[in-house]
């Protein structure tokens, strides 16, 4: 995927502030954080969005979800964190390479308290 910004990060063509790296997955800090801690967890494989995933990606998606709490804890989010996966135009997705936002530190509740 020549023009995909996250594939460029995977290839090392664009720098990132790395959080985690293995054969399948990469995590790096969001360039425009919305909270004290905000990083992305992505598969190295180009998948446009969750809508492009199928049964062959079951293990990969499971690996991402199991890694998320470990990385969150390493980033100091001992009390919990928020995961967001924006999917497609209707989900407000801007970068079409599947990613999980992992956010925490100073976030408001999603459901209004009043
Ligand atoms: P989404 O709306 O879920 O597609 O969000 C895309 C996210 O990617 C945004 O939070 C951006 O700040 C982030 N982003 C875009 N370019 C980069 C980059 N080069 N390095 C890190 N994060 C980025
Ligand atoms: Zn990509």
């Amino acid at each position: 995927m020549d023009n995909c910004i996250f594939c460029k990060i995977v290839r090392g063509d664009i720098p990132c502030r790395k959080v985690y790296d293995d054969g399948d997955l990469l995590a790096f800090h969001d360039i425009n954080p919305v909270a004290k801690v905000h990083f992305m967890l992505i598969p190295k494989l180009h998948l446009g969005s969750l809508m492009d995933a199928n049964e062959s990606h079951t293990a990969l998606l499971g690996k991402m979800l199991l890694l998320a709490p470990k990385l969150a804890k390493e980033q100091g989010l001992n009390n919990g964190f928020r995961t967001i996966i924006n999917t497609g135009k209707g989900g407000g997705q801007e970068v079409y390479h599947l990613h999980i936002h992992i956010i925490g530190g100073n976030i408001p509740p999603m459901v209004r308290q009043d």
Side-chain angles (χ1 to χ4, degrees), residues 14 17 21 24 30 33 35 42 45 53 55 61-65 89 96 102 104:
I14 290 179
R17 284 177 55 223
D21 190 0
D24 299 320
D30 197 292
I42 72 168
L45 174 78
E55 281 74 13
L61 295 174
K63 187 172 171 177
M64 290 175 79
L65 285 179
K89 196 168 177 239
Y96 278 78
I102 297 166

Side-chain angles (χ1 to χ4, degrees), residues 6 9 28-32 40 86 92-95 99 101:
F6 286 178
I9 289 176
F28 53 89
H29 292 281
D30 197 292
I31 205 167
N32 190 17
M40 307 285 182
N86 295 324
Q93 186 174 1
E94 287 174 5
V95 175
H99 51 280
H101 294 260

Side-chain angles (χ1 to χ4, degrees), residues 73-88:
K73 214 166 188 185
E74 281 173 21
Q75 293 302 310
L77 300 177
N78 296 304
N79 289 331
F81 57 93
R82 180 169 294 161
T83 46
I84 297 175
I85 305 175
N86 295 324
T87 302

